[in-house]
Amino acid sequence: MDLKPYRDQIDAIDREIIQRINARVKLAVEIGKIKESLGAEIYVPSREEEVFKKLASYNQGPLDERAIRSIYRQIISAALALERKLVIAYLGPEATYTHQAALKNFGSSVGYLACATVPDIFIAVRRGDADYGVAPVENSTQGTVISTLDMLVEENLKIVAQIYLEISQCLISQSPLEKITAVHSKDNALGQCRQWLARMLPNAELVDSPSTSHAVRDAAANPNIAAIASAVASELYGVPIVRESIQDKADNITRFLVIGKKPTSALGGGRDKTSIAFTLHSEPGSLLRALRFFSDRNINLVKIESRPSRQKVWDYLFYLDFMGHHDEPDVQEALDELRKSSPMVKWLGSYPDTGI
């Protein structure tokens, strides 16, 4: 069979694709110049979601929506880099799951700044060392990342987007199971594999590391140490995978937040999520009354949890996620009512509720 006619068609299509991509990027750069002159944000998550929605409606296959989104993420990333070199802070070093989430959301053309801790991410954005930060906030197996919740209240930054990343944990070491004496990883990652570790490495010491990538570096330096981290980290740092997919739950997903200095606009159509933090007076029924401000307006509450306020003993902060954007009238009404009965109410951000 002669393949040349097919290859000639592919070459012709490639030429057209390159021309059209460059034409698209030039228009995006012109829009970026206008935004900059107006003092507007270059990165607008709600606009990106609208673009992805339109692309999905244009797509007739065989590529699926995830593939189209991934391709266009890199195109948008390249355009952002030409408009202005964005810098994204993340929990480092390179190849952590937070780094992978940041790449998924911003693409490979922007700049990245590795941070040693979650608080460092927030500080980098506040100081202007980074334009945005990406921080883990909860895992479907292990629950909330407390340091992220604390920093959302302590720092005057806003959540502008969220990212979901499927997590497949690997045991990474230079040695087989029988020679491993310690397992290093981030506390949340260790928790995701607790049952597997108890069954397969019951005598190994479990050591909390600053990040999963730090743990792989430990495993590279000491053959008796294993790390729990991603296959990406294994490849980057040159330490073999001993076992794959060791997480206790197959559907292991971590949610990350993108934080910035300014709030983002509404996506609309019931596709936004808002996060707040508030305190209550210590009296019977105060939490129930607070939640009714939302239920009475048919606002869907999707998450609530409490944390010690760290201001005084047995004083608590409540964190609430609900559907709707901060600027919507019914949300404004609910928040106004909450402020009347609460010592403190802080809007943490409104952002597109995308699960992809």
Side-chain angles (χ1 to χ4, degrees), residues 86-207:
L86 292 180
V87 176
I88 313 302
Y90 68 93
L91 182 63
E94 192 177 355
T96 61
Y97 287 109
T98 309
H99 186 211
Q100 293 175 51
L103 285 166
K104 178 182 178 182
N105 190 72
F106 288 98
S108 58
S109 295
V110 301
Y112 287 96
L113 175 65
C115 297
T117 67
V118 166
D120 288 340
I121 298 169
F122 283 76
I123 293 168
V125 176
R126 191 226 312 148
R127 289 180 174 174
D129 298 329
D131 298 284
Y132 296 94
V134 176
V137 70
E138 61 178 330
N139 174 262
S140 58
T141 302
Q142 270 303 99
T144 301
V145 180
I146 299 303
S147 56
T148 299
L149 290 188
D150 289 343
M151 293 306 296
L152 285 169
V153 172
E154 292 178 18
E155 292 285 344
N156 190 27
L157 299 172
K158 288 287 183 283
I159 305 167
V160 299
Q162 65 179 7
I163 312 159
Y164 288 96
L165 187 70
E166 295 181 5
I167 306 296
S168 180
Q169 301 287 15
C170 300
L171 188 77
I172 299 169
S173 179
Q174 301 177 62
S175 301
L177 284 177
E178 59 271 17
K179 292 186 177 180
I180 293 170
T181 60
V183 180
H184 294 209
S185 197
K186 193 83 175 67
D187 53 355
N188 209 272
L190 290 169
Q192 292 167 32
C193 308
R194 195 178 308 281
Q195 295 175 20
W196 190 93
L197 290 168
R199 187 173 68 253
M200 303 300 294
L201 290 167
N203 299 316
E205 179 187 8
L206 305 184
V207 179

Side-chain angles (χ1 to χ4, degrees), residues 170-278:
C170 300
L171 188 77
I172 299 169
S173 179
Q174 301 177 62
S175 301
L177 284 177
E178 59 271 17
K179 292 186 177 180
I180 293 170
T181 60
V183 180
H184 294 209
S185 197
K186 193 83 175 67
D187 53 355
N188 209 272
L190 290 169
Q192 292 167 32
C193 308
R194 195 178 308 281
Q195 295 175 20
W196 190 93
L197 290 168
R199 187 173 68 253
M200 303 300 294
L201 290 167
N203 299 316
E205 179 187 8
L206 305 184
V207 179
D208 182 18
S209 295
S211 72
T212 53
S213 289
H214 276 96
V216 179
R217 289 179 174 181
D218 293 341
N222 187 334
N224 297 122
I225 291 175
I228 294 176
S230 68
V232 174
S234 165
E235 182 176 358
L236 179 66
Y237 296 107
V239 187
I241 294 174
V242 180
R243 293 285 192 279
E244 295 181 339
S245 298
I246 66 169
Q247 65 273 6
D248 297 329
K249 301 288 185 180
D251 53 345
N252 189 34
I253 298 172
T254 295
R255 177 180 172 233
F256 299 82
L257 300 177
V258 181
I259 56 167
K261 288 184 177 180
K262 297 181 181 179
T264 191
S265 57
L267 182 58
R271 295 172 293 167
D272 295 286
K273 182 187 290 183
T274 292
S275 298
I276 64 171
F278 61 95

Side-chain angles (χ1 to χ4, degrees), residues 278-283 286-287 289-291 293 334-345:
F278 61 95
T279 58
L280 292 171
H281 295 291
S282 182
E283 56 189 35
S286 59
L287 178 58
R289 286 192 297 273
L291 298 183
F293 298 143
L335 292 176
D336 286 343
E337 290 294 325
L338 181 60
R339 290 187 183 99
K340 293 175 184 177
S341 60
S342 303
M344 186 280 287
V345 178

